[in-house]
Amino acid sequence: MIKFFRKIRQNLIVENRTSKYFKYAIGEIVLVVIGILIALQINTWNENRKHALAEKEFFKSITKDLNQDLIFIKHVQASTKPKIEAYNLLNNKFLKDYDNNKTQIDSLMAIYLFSGQRTFYPVSGAFKSALAGNEINTYSQKNIIQNIIKLYGSNYGRLVDNGKIVDDRWSKLSENYIHNRRIKSFNNVNNASYTTMLDNLYFHYIQLNWYNKILDETEIEVNRLLKKLQ
């Protein structure tokens, strides 16, 4: 009988030890799981913080690029608008009678032919970098991102394409009047040759005038976007 009770006692002790072991093991597992969850949470927080900093830096870089673009746009406008104004005067106020208006006409022709030409190309380093890694589509401020993509993909694209056409027509015009551009004067011009000159300028002027309108529209879009980025 004594042996029987001893055996029961030993079994109870073993069961108690086993129970404590399982409780300890479960506790260890719970602690490990909690540790993993905390580590994952910290890692997620760090990644979100890095991503937020990257987005902030992107907007900062884009703002810098857009301000440089505005300076360049104004520089190009300063080159195109005098030409447009000069041609409008030539084609309206001084359409005929070169001989009696030589001084004024030569001065306006000089503005058009001797001042050179500038076309716009955007500063796009920040945009291309964000686009290449597809980071731009992960940023949180979706409305601003859509406006940025529209500006670079549509407004700037249209401006650059039309600028290439203007450059091509300017190149042909410059070749046609290379002698006048070299000596910076107009010799042997009469009413008939003056009409021909206006016709030659017109082909370039209509594209330049359209290009200038796109410049103005793009300037408005850039300023609008910069206000959103403030």
Side-chain angles (χ1 to χ4, degrees), residues 63 66-67 70 222-230:
T63 299
L66 293 179
N67 279 309
L70 273 183
V222 172
N223 279 314
R224 187 177 296 162
L225 182 54
L226 282 172
K227 286 182 179 179
K228 292 183 179 181
L229 288 168
Q230 290 178 351

Side-chain angles (χ1 to χ4, degrees), residues 6-227:
R6 284 180 178 175
K7 187 175 181 180
I8 292 175
R9 184 171 177 272
Q10 289 175 351
N11 288 338
L12 290 173
I13 292 172
V14 170
E15 289 177 359
N16 187 44
R17 287 178 179 175
T18 303
S19 177
K20 288 182 179 179
Y21 172 78
F22 278 117
K23 288 180 180 178
Y24 176 79
I26 291 172
E28 288 291 316
I29 293 172
V30 170
L31 288 176
V32 170
V33 171
I34 291 174
I36 292 173
L37 291 175
I38 291 173
L40 289 173
Q41 187 66 30
I42 292 173
N43 183 64
T44 300
W45 180 82
N46 282 330
E47 289 299 320
N48 289 338
R49 184 177 63 85
K50 290 178 182 178
H51 193 267
L53 289 173
E55 183 172 356
K56 184 178 180 181
E57 186 61 30
F58 168 71
F59 287 139
K60 181 180 178 181
S61 298
I62 281 290
T63 299
K64 181 180 178 181
D65 287 354
L66 293 179
N67 279 309
Q68 290 180 335
D69 287 342
L70 273 183
I71 294 173
F72 195 11
I73 286 173
K74 292 183 183 298
H75 179 67
V76 175
Q77 287 171 329
S79 172
T80 60
K81 288 183 178 179
K83 290 179 182 291
I84 293 170
E85 292 169 358
Y87 186 85
N88 285 332
L89 285 172
L90 289 169
N91 195 48
N92 293 290
K93 187 176 180 180
F94 301 109
L95 181 59
K96 299 178 180 180
D97 200 5
Y98 174 85
D99 295 334
N100 292 323
N101 298 284
K102 177 176 172 54
T103 301
Q104 299 96 317
I105 290 175
D106 284 355
S107 177
L108 292 170
M109 292 287 290
I111 292 173
Y112 205 100
L113 286 173
F114 302 158
S115 59
Q117 179 175 282
R118 299 288 184 274
T119 48
F120 172 81
Y121 286 89
V123 180
S124 55
F127 177 74
K128 287 183 177 179
S129 178
L131 197 65
N134 200 36
E135 292 179 5
I136 195 169
N137 292 317
T138 66
Y139 294 146
S140 60
Q141 299 189 50
K142 301 299 183 183
N143 183 51
I144 295 180
I145 293 300
Q146 288 175 357
N147 290 331
I148 291 173
I149 293 174
K150 177 179 177 295
L151 177 68
Y152 281 88
S154 179
N155 296 82
Y156 278 174
R158 188 166 60 124
L159 196 55
V160 170
D161 288 343
N162 278 273
K164 291 177 180 178
I165 298 174
V166 172
D167 284 339
D168 181 62
R169 294 187 181 183
W170 173 253
S171 177
K172 293 176 181 177
L173 188 65
S174 297
E175 290 177 5
N176 198 24
Y177 293 101
I178 188 170
H179 176 73
N180 302 104
R181 285 173 56 79
R182 182 174 64 81
I183 65 175
K184 292 192 179 300
S185 65
F186 300 95
N187 300 325
N188 304 319
V189 178
N190 53 41
N191 287 338
S193 59
Y194 172 58
T195 299
T196 300
M197 293 176 74
L198 286 181
D199 289 343
N200 291 336
L201 291 178
Y202 183 71
F203 186 62
H204 174 264
Y205 160 79
I206 55 175
Q207 184 63 40
L208 185 66
N209 191 44
W210 173 247
Y211 180 68
N212 186 64
K213 290 180 180 178
I214 302 175
L215 275 174
D216 292 341
E217 292 171 1
T218 303
E219 182 183 15
I220 293 172
E221 289 297 320
V222 172
N223 279 314
R224 187 177 296 162
L225 182 54
L226 282 172
K227 286 182 179 179

